[in-house]
Amino acid sequence: MLTSITEGILCCLTGKTANLVLPLESSEPSDGFEYVEVKPGRVLRVRHIVPEHSPISNNDGDSGSIVHCKRKITVYRNGQLVIENLGDVLHSEILQCQDGDLEPCSTVEVELADYKDIASSPDPNPVPPPVPPPPGEHKPAPPPRRRRRKPKRTVLIDSKRMISSCKGTHSDVALFFVHGVGGSLDIWSSQLDFFSRLGYEVIAPDLAGHGASTAPQIAAAYTFYALAEDLRAIFKRYARKRNILIGHSYGVSFCTFLAHEYPDLVHKVVMINGGGPTALEPSLCSIFQLPSCVLHCLSPCLAWSFLKAGFARQGAKEKQLLKQGNAFNVSPFVLRAMMSGQYWPEGDEVYHAELTVPILLVHGMCDKFVPMDEDQRMAEILLFAFLKVIEEGSHMVMMECPETVNTLLHEFFLWEPDMSRKGSSKTDTEKAIAASDTLHTLKNSKPVNK
């Protein structure tokens, strides 16, 4: 603590920042690690594991279920977002690889996040309630119908997507893992080892200034767009025919960006504690707006706060996980620049509603950074979304509950909707029994209502 305060004072007096990248202690530094220069002088460390695929036929990997994605998204000036699902809508639980049932076309109507405060304000000119007519008199004629509202923006989506099972034996499948602020690729160590043993090709980069990647000394190097271009270069370098993106926290935004930019290459997406479908904007009243030297003095307190808020428990096991994962081991300059650079106005509700890729949402019930209602709202906006809540997990749920997370992800990778029942109809009794069995078996799973 005293050392941090002394270094912070020297930092303020000399005007120099502390070391921008910390050395990474690894017993096997060359075990699957590569260094990729995404731009001149901008090098990212990437863990890339390519398992040896056995010489089997991959014809089953080309077959899948074709789902018709047809939506009409209308944004009104009063803040309403109306989503009309006109194509195939999937409704399924992600457990034991259960097939998805088709729901009839439906309409989802929500209010924009930015309009909540305005919509809750009282009407300046309230209309008095109608006075009931005296007995014996005719009721007055109903008022004329209001003129139809003019939409502010309308987006039409009409495409077909093939959703198939992605097995580790398929050589055309690649898994991309993207960490968030203050993390590193080492937070995915359990997932990388698990899926590489199953035969999957896995790719996990260190963001700029994190882990063993280079740390530029300019704040512009850590904006959302700069980091997104880094990940675009990594994705284009390692992408296969079918790619699955797995993001955590801030990393979810980059996965959303890539899924929107490359809809034909991104097969499925997993969002772990990513928050709601709102545009990113840095907070002006955050502690991370303080000077870097002050943050350097407060670094022990920040690390303890992250441990307390990021894990459901704060025992020796969690401290060791935090150390092994090299999480929150970044310089104050990088941390401040990362938090100040979270500006992404395009990533609003409509941007997320345009995604047609199947998405699994994983939320730790004890998460103190991301509220539960934000992931629920994300599930309402997305077309093919499944929300799974892990009660004993927090923000770093993939480190706290690696077996549970690995099982959920693997079942989602193998999941494929059964479109053979598209024309079949169930009786009300059959639907009630099926719904009762599903809720009894998976009371923690919350499927999206489309």
Side-chain angles (χ1 to χ4, degrees):
M1 182 72 170
L2 183 60
T3 304
S4 301
I5 296 176
T6 305
E7 292 179 354
I9 295 174
L10 293 176
C11 171
C12 293
L13 295 177
T14 60
K16 298 180 180 180
T17 58
N19 294 331
L20 297 182
V21 62
L22 298 177
L24 177 67
E25 297 181 1
S26 176
S27 57
E28 297 179 358
S30 60
D31 183 16
F33 291 101
E34 301 176 4
Y35 291 86
V36 180
E37 189 174 21
V38 293
K39 290 180 182 178
R42 193 177 177 99
V43 181
L44 302 185
R45 183 185 66 148
V46 180
R47 188 174 183 189
H48 182 210
I49 303 177
V50 184
E52 296 182 0
H53 295 282
S54 56
I56 62 174
S57 174
N58 283 343
N59 294 333
D60 57 340
D62 296 331
S63 61
S65 301
I66 298 179
V67 180
H68 186 195
C69 307
K70 189 175 182 180
R71 307 188 94 180
K72 181 181 179 182
I73 308 170
T74 306
V75 182
Y76 292 96
R77 298 184 182 277
N78 68 342
Q80 282 184 316
L81 179 68
V82 179
I83 304 175
E84 299 176 71
N85 295 322
L86 308 176
D88 299 333
V89 181
L90 298 177
H91 181 98
S92 174
E93 299 289 357
I94 302 299
L95 193 66
Q96 305 302 330
C97 299
Q98 297 182 10
D99 297 322
D101 295 333
L102 289 177
E103 287 187 339
C105 301
S106 60
T107 301
V108 179
E109 184 173 348
V110 297
E111 290 184 354
L112 295 179
D114 298 336
Y115 188 73
K116 285 182 179 178
D117 297 335
I118 303 177
S120 61
S121 59
D123 191 351
N125 298 315
V127 179
V131 180
E137 294 186 7
H138 296 285
K139 294 183 179 180
R145 298 183 63 180
R146 291 185 177 181
R147 186 174 54 182
R148 189 174 181 179
R149 295 174 298 172
K150 251 187 177 179
K152 179 181 178 181
R153 180 185 176 191
T154 302
V155 178
L156 297 176
I157 301 172
D158 192 353
S159 62
K160 292 185 178 180
R161 172 176 287 276
M162 178 177 290
I163 305 174
S164 61
S165 172
C166 296
K167 300 180 181 178
T169 54
H170 297 162
S171 58
D172 62 345
V173 176
L175 310 182
F176 289 82
F177 293 84
V178 184
H179 67 83
V181 177
S184 72
L185 64 85
D186 296 311
I187 68 172
W188 301 108
S189 59
S190 298
Q191 288 70 43
L192 298 179
D193 296 339
F194 177 82
F195 287 106
S196 61
R197 287 197 302 267
L198 291 178
Y200 286 93
E201 179 179 359
V202 296
I203 302 98
D206 276 334
L207 296 180
H210 294 68
S213 295
T214 56
Q217 300 187 25
I218 55 174
Y222 303 98
T223 63
F224 173 84
Y225 296 102
L227 298 172
E229 290 303 319
D230 292 346
L231 293 175
R232 185 204 294 270
I234 296 296
F235 181 78
K236 292 172 67 175
R237 178 185 178 94
Y238 296 102
R240 301 297 181 185
K241 183 178 179 181
R242 292 180 295 171
N243 304 280
I244 301 179
L245 309 179
I246 304 98
H248 171 251
S249 192
Y250 191 28
V252 169
S253 299
F254 301 113
C255 293
T256 304
F257 171 79
L258 292 175
H260 202 278
E261 292 290 310
Y262 302 99
D264 297 331
L265 291 177
V266 176
H267 199 66
K268 294 175 181 177
V269 176
V270 178
M271 301 181 175
I272 303 178
N273 292 329
T278 55
L280 296 181
E281 187 174 351
S283 175
L284 299 178
C285 300
S286 172
I287 189 176
F288 298 104
Q289 298 297 328
L290 296 173
S292 300
C293 55
V294 178
L295 292 178
H296 188 75
C297 299
L298 299 176
S299 56
C301 299
L302 294 176
W304 168 247
S305 300
F306 179 79
L307 175 66
K308 189 175 181 180
F311 291 87
R313 302 174 182 86
Q314 294 81 40
K317 177 184 175 181
E318 285 72 25
K319 293 180 181 179
Q320 185 65 22
L321 287 174
L322 195 63
K323 182 179 180 181
Q324 292 177 353
N326 200 32
F328 216 73
N329 191 19
V330 297
S331 72
F333 174 82
V334 172
L335 185 61
R336 183 177 187 271
M338 287 284 292
M339 299 302 293
S340 301
Q342 293 185 5
Y343 178 71
W344 186 36
E346 294 86 4
D348 56 3
E349 287 90 346
V350 178
Y351 189 93
H352 287 79
E354 292 176 345
L355 296 177
T356 59
V357 58
I359 297 176
L360 172 64
L361 299 167
V362 180
H363 182 86
M365 180 66 76
C366 303
D367 192 350
K368 298 180 178 64
F369 291 109
V370 179
M372 178 67 185
D373 56 357
E374 290 192 13
D375 276 331
Q376 289 178 334
R377 181 175 178 83
M378 179 74 84
E380 294 176 356
I381 294 294
L382 298 171
L383 178 60
F384 301 144
F386 310 91
L387 175 59
K388 177 64 181 179
V389 179
I390 302 178
E391 292 184 352
E392 63 274 16
S394 185
H395 192 67
M396 309 299 290
V397 63
M398 65 282 183
M399 301 178 69
E400 294 176 295
C401 314
E403 295 84 4
T404 305
V405 172
N406 292 344
T407 301
L408 284 175
L409 267 59
H410 191 210
E411 290 167 350
F412 180 61
F413 299 163
L414 298 178
W415 169 76
E416 179 180 345
D418 184 7
M419 305 299 290
S420 62
R421 293 177 289 178
K422 183 176 180 180
S424 62
S425 59
K426 296 182 180 180
T427 62
D428 294 339
T429 304
E430 291 174 338
K431 291 180 179 179
I433 294 175
S436 177
D437 293 341
T438 301
L439 292 176
H440 178 72
T441 307
L442 300 171
K443 61 180 180 178
N444 293 331
S445 297
K446 303 180 183 298
V448 60
N449 296 323
K450 290 285 187 286

